[in-house]
Amino acid sequence: MSAHRIAGLGRIDRSRTVTFTFDGKAMQGCPGDTLASALLANSVVLMGRSFKYHRPRGLLGAGAEEPNALVSVDRGGGRFTPNLRATAVEIYEGLNVRSQNRWPSLKTDFGAINDRFGRFFPAGFYNKTFMWPRSFWDKLYEPTIRRMAGLGDAPIEADPDVYAATYAHCDVLIVGAGPAGIDAALEACAARKQVILIDEQDELGGGALADPALWPWLESSLNDLAAAPNVTLLSRTTAFGFYHDNFIGAGQRLTDHLAEPGHGPRERLWRIRAGEVILAQGAIERPLVFAGNDVPGVMLASAARTYLVRFGVAVGDRVVLMAVHDSGWRDAFVLARAGMKIAAIVDLRAQVAPDLMAEAAELGVPVEMNSAVIGVSGRHAVTGAEIADSAGGNRHKIVCDAVLMAGGWTPSVHLWSHSKGSLAWSEEWGAYLADKPNENVRCVGACAGKWNYGTGVSIGALPTPDDPATIKAFVDFQNDVTAKDIALAVREGMKSVEHIKRYTTNGMATDQGKTSNLNALQLASGALDRPVQAIGLTTFRPPYTPQTFGMLAGDAKGALFQPTRKTAIDPWAEEHGAVFELVAQWRRARYFPQGGEDMHAAVARECLTVRSGVGIFDASTLGKIEVVGPDAAEFLNRMYTNPWKALEPGRCRYGLLLREDGFITDDGVSARLAPDRFHLTTTTGGAARVLNMMEDYLQTEWPDLDVWLTSTTEQYAVIALQGPKAREVIAPLVSGIDLSSESFPHMAVREGTICGVPTRLFRVSFTGELGFEINVPAAFGRYVWEQVWAAGQAHGITPYGTETMHVLRAEKGYIIVGQDTDGTVTPYDAALDWAVGKKKADFVGKRSLARPDIVAPGRKQLVGLLTDDPAEVLEEGAQIVADPRQPIPMKMIGHVTSSYWSATLGRSVALALVQGGHERMGETLHVPMPGKTIAAKVSGMVFHDPDGSRLNG
Amino acid sequence: MILIHCPYCDQTLPELEFAYAGEGHIARPTDPSALSDEDWERYLFIRDNPRGRHHERWRHIHGCGRFFNAVRDTVTDKFEMTYKAGEPRQ
C-alpha cells in the first residue's frame, strides 16, 4: 500500500461515497474529492502518459498547474471533454474517466518505445528529421506523427450542450479567493464597493484550504461576504484573460460537477468590466530538475500537503523530501505530524534556519544537507531514491514510495502579463514579480511576492555526478522537455528565450509553462552564461487554463452563427422549389428546377425563356443608397468615374466606382429622380462597403457638400422582369407611366403605381433583353411579385435565379465586380473605358489611372474566350498559358473568371483576365487541365446581340 | 476590449461599436493631377507606422456613424484622446 486515505483528516464528506470509473474500473471517493485525490485514495498513482516519450506519469501538483494527469471525461451523447486536469475534475456518481495518450492501455503502452529511443528524439527533432525525401511527408511522416503526437482525442460528435454568456460591471474585481483575495474583498466590501470575487476551484479559500488553522477565519469571512449585498462570489470560475481597459474574460463551469448535466447551460462566459482589478492568484511551487523527477510518485511538496490536509490522502508511506526552499520542510513536518513516515529531508543548501533543524530532530526526521536526489527508481511508481552530496560523493539509496520537490515558488503573474504590466526580476524569489501596471490593477499576496514562505535558492538543475547526456531530468513535464534539450537548443544557436521555447516546445500546450518556465530560464541562463534578466521571459497570453470552444462560441453557432438575410419574395421562391445559394449573407434563389430537372437543364430552360419570352427575377438584394441634397450630383460626380451633373431627372446611368488606387471596387445603375435626389444601386456584396466609403469622403474630405446618404437596401423589393414580352406583362398593371419605348426608353426611370402600389420603375437590363426593375416598398414585394407572376402566365413567364442571371449577363459581357475583377483591375483592363469621363478634372481614382504601372503594357485585361470545342465549358479559375508545350512550371498569363454553357448560343462562353488580352484578339490560348489541354480563342466580351437592338425594343 | 470615446456622442463605449479607418490627417490633395507620381504614391501608400503615438481615424460605425481622429499609443494600446474630424492634429 502506498497512497491511501488517512482517517479523520480533510474537508471531504466521509459520510457518503461516490462511485466513478477510471479506464473502466469502478472506484469510490467522497463528495469534495477531486479526481486526483480520489485516485490517490485508491492507490492509483499512474494517471497518464507523456506527450513525446509516452513515459508513465502521475500527479505533479494539486491545482491548475498540473501538467501530467490529463484525462478525458465521457458523459455520453456527445458530451466528451479531453485534456482535463485530474486535479480540476470534481467527482460525481457515475463519472466516467479515461486516461489518454496510451495504447492499448495505461500500463502497457506501445508508444513508450519512443522513450527507449529517446536519444534519437532531441529538441528540434521533427524539424530536422522529416525533411527528406519530400514525397514521404504526406503518406508516411505526417500520418505517423499525427497518430503518435498530440494530447487527448478531439470529440467527434456535436456538442449537445448550450452555453450562456453575460456582462458584468463592478468597482473591484478580485481574482483568486485565497487569504489575500478574501482580505481584499472584505476591505472593498467594507468600503461599500460593488465587488466580484472569483476563484477557479469548487471551494473558495485557495491556500487556506490546506491550512486548518485558517479554517475558522475562512468560514466566517466567506459567510460575511456571502451575506453582503454588494459582493458577488463566483466559484468554479476561471479568469482566463485580462484584456484592455480592465476587461476580464472568465469561464464559469455550471454542470460539469453534477451527476445529471440537466437542461441549463453547461458554462457561462463572464465579460467583466471592473474599475479596479486585484490579482490574488497566489504562487505555484517549482519542481526540481533531476534524473527521474517524472516517475509517478514524485510531486510538489505543497501538493502532498494539500492532498493530506484538504482531502485526507497520504501520497505515500515513506516519503523523501528534496528541498532547496524552507517551505518544503514545513510541508514535510505537517505530513510527519499526521503520521506519515518522512524517510529523509534532502536539502542542497549547506544549512537552514535552526528552528527547521530542531523541528526535524523533534519529529525524528533524518536530514541530509548539502545533498541532492540524483536518481529515482521505479517505472510506474517510485520505489526508491538515490542521493549524493553536492560533490557527487556518498552515493546511497533510500527506499521510499514518494519523492517531494520543494524548488521555491513562482508568483502567478499570468493575468498581470495579459494586461501588459511590466515585470521585474526578484533575486529573493528567483522569479519575475509584477512591476509597473498598464491598467488599474494591482497584485496582492503571494502573487505580489508578499507572503512569508521562508527562504531558498534558485537553481536550474540539481548537481549530479552522472553524465548529464545520459539522464532524463525533466523541465517541462507536459512537453517532455529535459535539461539536455535546453542545453542542446542553446548549443545549436538559440539565444532568445522565445527561440528556445519554440525549438524545444518548453512552456507550450495546455499548461503554458506554469511549472517549467523559470527552471528553463535558469538552465538557459547557465548555458548562455548570462543573467536570467538578460534572457527575458516568454509572454503569457490568454487563456490562463484551457477553456471550451463551446463557452467562447456561446450562441454563435448553427443557425445563429451568422444572420441569413431573406428578401420579401424569399418565401415564394421556397414554395416554388427554388434551389438557394448564399450571397453576402443573403439567401438567393439560384434556379427553379421543374419536373426533376438538374441545374444544367433548369438554367438552360430559364435562359431560353427569358430570351424568347419573359422571366421574373428577385433582385431585391441589390444594394441601394438614397443620395439627397443640393450637392448630390456634384458628390456623385466626384465619386464615380462618369459624369453625373448633366444627367437629367428620369434618366439612369451605369456608375463605375474606383478606389483611390484606380482599381474597380463597385458598379451599379443609378437613377436621378429629381435635381437633388438619386437612387443609387450597388452590388449585393458591396452595399455596406460603398456606403462606408461614400460617408468617409463626404464627412472627411468634402464636409462642405450638402448631401445626405441613406441605406435603402431593405426598404425596396426589386422585381426584375426581363424578356421581349416584359412590357406586355406589366402594361395592364401599371398606372401613371407611359411604357412606350419612345417616352420610356432604355436607361430611364419613372414613378407611378403598379397594382396600386407606388413604384420606382426602372427600364434597365442585366440580361440584354427589354427589361424592367420594379422597385416597390418591401412590404408590398410579394404582393406585386404574385400579381406580375399571374399576369405573366399568359406569356409563358418563368422565375429564374442567380445562375441564369449570371449566364445571361455573361452572354452580354456584363461584368460582375468581384468575380471578373479582383481588386487589381482598372476600367481600361475591364474594357470599360467608355464609362470614364475623359473631360472630368477629378474623380476618386482618376490620378491613379496615370500611374506608371497602370499605363504599362502587359497588364491583365478582360477578354472573351471561345473554346475550339463549343461543347467544352472551361472551369472558372483555370489558368491560361500561351504555349502548352513549354516545360513545367509553365508561365501562366491569366485565368478564367466566368464560364457558362450558353443555351442561347448553343456553345460555351467565358470571360478571362489575360496579360495584354486586348492585343490578343483571335489568338489561340490554352487551358491546361488534368489529362487534357483545352484550346480557346480570344474574343470580344459581347457574345450575344452585339449592337444592343434587343435592349431598345 | 478597448473603450473608445466618441467625440460626437461624447460617450465612452466598447470597441465593438467602432471600426478602424487607417492613419489620420492624410488629406486628399485638392488637385491630384498636379501631383508627381512620387507624391501621389506617398499619398496613396506611405504610412507612418510609429512605435508609440499614432494619429489614426476611427468610425463609430454601429453608433452615430461619424468618422473621427484619435491618438493611440501603439505600444500600450492606450487612447490618449479622440477629437472630431477637421480639428487640428493633436
Side-chain angles (χ1 to χ4, degrees), chain A residues 50-55 109-121 126 148-149 472 480:
Chain A
S50 71
F51 177 67
K52 186 162 141 191
Y53 300 126
H54 287 238
R55 285 169 67 96
D109 171 32
F110 285 4
I113 195 163
N114 286 3
D115 191 29
R116 296 182 50 199
F117 294 101
R119 62 197 154 100
F120 300 119
F121 294 83
Y126 293 137
M148 293 294 294
K472 284 208 181 86
D480 270 350

CSV table of all heavy atoms in Angstrom, one decimal, chain A residues 50-55 109-121 126 148-149 472 480:
chain,number,residue,atom,x,y,z
A,50,SER,N,3.2,10.5,-21.1
A,50,SER,CA,3.7,11.8,-21.5
A,50,SER,C,3.6,12.0,-23.1
A,50,SER,O,3.4,11.0,-23.8
A,50,SER,CB,5.1,12.1,-21.1
A,50,SER,OG,6.0,11.2,-21.8
A,51,PHE,N,3.7,13.2,-23.5
A,51,PHE,CA,3.4,13.6,-24.8
A,51,PHE,C,4.3,13.0,-25.9
A,51,PHE,O,3.8,12.5,-26.9
A,51,PHE,CB,3.5,15.2,-24.8
A,51,PHE,CG,3.4,15.9,-26.1
A,51,PHE,CD1,2.1,16.0,-26.7
A,51,PHE,CD2,4.4,16.6,-26.6
A,51,PHE,CE1,2.0,16.7,-27.8
A,51,PHE,CE2,4.3,17.3,-27.8
A,51,PHE,CZ,3.1,17.3,-28.4
A,52,LYS,N,5.6,13.0,-25.6
A,52,LYS,CA,6.5,12.6,-26.7
A,52,LYS,C,7.1,11.2,-26.4
A,52,LYS,O,7.1,10.4,-27.3
A,52,LYS,CB,7.7,13.7,-26.7
A,52,LYS,CG,8.7,13.5,-27.8
A,52,LYS,CD,9.4,14.9,-27.9
A,52,LYS,CE,10.9,14.6,-28.2
A,52,LYS,NZ,11.7,15.9,-28.0
A,53,TYR,N,7.6,11.0,-25.2
A,53,TYR,CA,8.2,9.7,-24.9
A,53,TYR,C,7.2,8.7,-24.4
A,53,TYR,O,7.6,7.5,-24.1
A,53,TYR,CB,9.3,9.9,-23.9
A,53,TYR,CG,10.4,10.8,-24.3
A,53,TYR,CD1,10.8,11.9,-23.6
A,53,TYR,CD2,11.1,10.6,-25.5
A,53,TYR,CE1,11.8,12.8,-24.0
A,53,TYR,CE2,12.1,11.5,-26.0
A,53,TYR,CZ,12.4,12.6,-25.2
A,53,TYR,OH,13.4,13.4,-25.6
A,54,HIS,N,6.0,9.1,-24.1
A,54,HIS,CA,5.0,8.2,-23.6
A,54,HIS,C,5.4,7.6,-22.3
A,54,HIS,O,5.2,6.4,-22.0
A,54,HIS,CB,4.6,7.1,-24.6
A,54,HIS,CG,3.8,7.6,-25.7
A,54,HIS,ND1,2.5,7.1,-26.0
A,54,HIS,CD2,4.0,8.5,-26.6
A,54,HIS,CE1,2.0,7.7,-27.1
A,54,HIS,NE2,2.9,8.6,-27.5
A,55,ARG,N,6.1,8.4,-21.5
A,55,ARG,CA,6.6,7.9,-20.2
A,55,ARG,C,5.4,7.9,-19.2
A,55,ARG,O,4.5,8.7,-19.2
A,55,ARG,CB,7.7,8.8,-19.6
A,55,ARG,CG,9.0,8.6,-20.3
A,55,ARG,CD,10.0,9.6,-20.0
A,55,ARG,NE,10.4,9.6,-18.6
A,55,ARG,CZ,11.6,9.0,-18.2
A,55,ARG,NH1,12.3,8.4,-19.0
A,55,ARG,NH2,11.9,9.0,-16.9
A,109,ASP,N,1.9,0.5,-22.9
A,109,ASP,CA,1.7,1.5,-24.0
A,109,ASP,C,2.8,1.3,-25.0
A,109,ASP,O,4.0,1.4,-24.7
A,109,ASP,CB,1.8,2.9,-23.4
A,109,ASP,CG,1.8,3.9,-24.4
A,109,ASP,OD1,1.2,3.7,-25.5
A,109,ASP,OD2,2.4,5.0,-24.2
A,110,PHE,N,2.4,0.9,-26.3
A,110,PHE,CA,3.4,0.7,-27.3
A,110,PHE,C,4.2,1.9,-27.6
A,110,PHE,O,5.4,1.9,-28.0
A,110,PHE,CB,2.7,0.2,-28.6
A,110,PHE,CG,2.3,-1.2,-28.5
A,110,PHE,CD1,2.4,-2.0,-27.3
A,110,PHE,CD2,1.7,-1.9,-29.6
A,110,PHE,CE1,2.0,-3.3,-27.2
A,110,PHE,CE2,1.3,-3.2,-29.5
A,110,PHE,CZ,1.4,-3.9,-28.3
A,111,GLY,N,3.6,3.1,-27.4
A,111,GLY,CA,4.2,4.4,-27.8
A,111,GLY,C,5.5,4.6,-26.9
A,111,GLY,O,6.3,5.4,-27.2
A,112,ALA,N,5.5,3.9,-25.8
A,112,ALA,CA,6.7,4.1,-24.9
A,112,ALA,C,8.0,3.7,-25.5
A,112,ALA,O,9.0,4.0,-24.9
A,112,ALA,CB,6.4,3.3,-23.6
A,113,ILE,N,7.9,3.0,-26.6
A,113,ILE,CA,9.2,2.7,-27.4
A,113,ILE,C,9.9,4.0,-27.7
A,113,ILE,O,11.1,4.0,-27.8
A,113,ILE,CB,8.8,1.9,-28.6
A,113,ILE,CG1,10.1,1.3,-29.2
A,113,ILE,CG2,8.2,2.8,-29.7
A,113,ILE,CD1,9.9,0.1,-30.1
A,114,ASN,N,9.2,5.1,-27.8
A,114,ASN,CA,9.8,6.4,-28.0
A,114,ASN,C,10.8,6.7,-26.9
A,114,ASN,O,11.8,7.4,-27.1
A,114,ASN,CB,8.8,7.5,-28.1
A,114,ASN,CG,8.0,7.5,-29.4
A,114,ASN,OD1,8.2,6.7,-30.2
A,114,ASN,ND2,7.2,8.5,-29.5
A,115,ASP,N,10.5,6.3,-25.7
A,115,ASP,CA,11.3,6.6,-24.5
A,115,ASP,C,12.6,5.8,-24.6
A,115,ASP,O,13.7,6.4,-24.3
A,115,ASP,CB,10.5,6.1,-23.3
A,115,ASP,CG,11.2,6.7,-22.0
A,115,ASP,OD1,11.8,7.7,-22.1
A,115,ASP,OD2,11.1,6.0,-21.0
A,116,ARG,N,12.6,4.6,-25.1
A,116,ARG,CA,13.8,3.8,-25.2
A,116,ARG,C,14.7,4.3,-26.3
A,116,ARG,O,15.9,4.2,-26.2
A,116,ARG,CB,13.5,2.3,-25.5
A,116,ARG,CG,12.7,1.7,-24.3
A,116,ARG,CD,12.5,0.3,-24.5
A,116,ARG,NE,13.6,-0.5,-24.9
A,116,ARG,CZ,13.6,-1.7,-25.5
A,116,ARG,NH1,12.4,-2.2,-25.7
A,116,ARG,NH2,14.7,-2.3,-25.8
A,117,PHE,N,14.1,5.0,-27.3
A,117,PHE,CA,14.9,5.5,-28.4
A,117,PHE,C,15.0,7.0,-28.2
A,117,PHE,O,15.2,7.8,-29.2
A,117,PHE,CB,14.4,5.2,-29.7
A,117,PHE,CG,14.5,3.7,-30.0
A,117,PHE,CD1,13.4,2.9,-29.9
A,117,PHE,CD2,15.7,3.1,-30.4
A,117,PHE,CE1,13.5,1.5,-30.1
A,117,PHE,CE2,15.8,1.8,-30.6
A,117,PHE,CZ,14.7,0.9,-30.5
A,118,GLY,N,14.8,7.5,-27.0
A,118,GLY,CA,14.7,8.9,-26.7
A,118,GLY,C,15.9,9.7,-27.2
A,118,GLY,O,15.8,10.9,-27.6
A,119,ARG,N,17.1,9.1,-27.2
A,119,ARG,CA,18.2,9.9,-27.7
A,119,ARG,C,18.2,10.2,-29.2
A,119,ARG,O,18.9,11.0,-29.7
A,119,ARG,CB,19.6,9.2,-27.3
A,119,ARG,CG,19.8,7.9,-28.0
A,119,ARG,CD,20.9,7.2,-27.2
A,119,ARG,NE,20.8,5.7,-27.4
A,119,ARG,CZ,21.5,5.0,-28.2
A,119,ARG,NH1,22.4,5.6,-29.0
A,119,ARG,NH2,21.4,3.7,-28.3
A,120,PHE,N,17.2,9.5,-29.9
A,120,PHE,CA,17.0,9.9,-31.3
A,120,PHE,C,16.0,11.0,-31.4
A,120,PHE,O,15.6,11.3,-32.5
A,120,PHE,CB,16.6,8.6,-32.1
A,120,PHE,CG,17.7,7.6,-32.1
A,120,PHE,CD1,17.4,6.3,-31.5
A,120,PHE,CD2,18.9,7.8,-32.5
A,120,PHE,CE1,18.3,5.3,-31.5
A,120,PHE,CE2,19.9,6.8,-32.5
A,120,PHE,CZ,19.6,5.6,-32.0
A,121,PHE,N,15.4,11.4,-30.3
A,121,PHE,CA,14.3,12.4,-30.4
A,121,PHE,C,14.7,13.7,-29.6
A,121,PHE,O,14.1,14.1,-28.7
A,121,PHE,CB,13.0,11.9,-29.7
A,121,PHE,CG,12.4,10.7,-30.5
A,121,PHE,CD1,12.8,9.4,-30.3
A,121,PHE,CD2,11.3,10.9,-31.4
A,121,PHE,CE1,12.2,8.4,-30.9
A,121,PHE,CE2,10.8,9.9,-32.0
A,121,PHE,CZ,11.2,8.6,-31.8
A,126,TYR,N,11.6,17.0,-35.0
A,126,TYR,CA,10.7,17.0,-36.1
A,126,TYR,C,11.2,17.9,-37.2
A,126,TYR,O,11.2,17.5,-38.4
A,126,TYR,CB,9.3,17.5,-35.7
A,126,TYR,CG,8.6,16.5,-34.8
A,126,TYR,CD1,7.9,17.0,-33.7
A,126,TYR,CD2,8.6,15.1,-35.0
A,126,TYR,CE1,7.2,16.2,-32.8
A,126,TYR,CE2,7.9,14.3,-34.1
A,126,TYR,CZ,7.2,14.8,-33.0
A,126,TYR,OH,6.6,14.0,-32.2
A,148,MET,N,1.0,9.5,-33.3
A,148,MET,CA,1.8,9.4,-32.1
A,148,MET,C,1.7,10.7,-31.2
A,148,MET,O,1.8,10.6,-30.0
A,148,MET,CB,3.3,9.2,-32.5
A,148,MET,CG,3.6,7.9,-33.2
A,148,MET,SD,3.4,6.5,-32.1
A,148,MET,CE,4.7,6.8,-30.9
A,149,ALA,N,1.6,11.8,-31.9
A,149,ALA,CA,1.7,13.0,-31.1
A,149,ALA,C,0.4,13.6,-30.7
A,149,ALA,O,-0.6,13.0,-30.9
A,149,ALA,CB,2.5,14.1,-32.0
A,472,LYS,N,17.6,11.6,-18.0
A,472,LYS,CA,16.4,12.4,-18.4
A,472,LYS,C,15.9,13.1,-17.1
A,472,LYS,O,15.3,12.5,-16.2
A,472,LYS,CB,15.3,11.5,-18.9
A,472,LYS,CG,15.5,11.0,-20.3
A,472,LYS,CD,14.2,10.8,-21.0
A,472,LYS,CE,14.4,10.3,-22.4
A,472,LYS,NZ,14.6,8.8,-22.5
A,480,ASP,N,7.6,17.0,-22.4
A,480,ASP,CA,8.8,16.1,-22.4
A,480,ASP,C,10.0,16.9,-22.7
A,480,ASP,O,10.8,16.4,-23.6
A,480,ASP,CB,8.5,15.0,-23.3
A,480,ASP,CG,7.9,13.8,-22.6
A,480,ASP,OD1,7.8,13.8,-21.4
A,480,ASP,OD2,7.4,12.8,-23.3
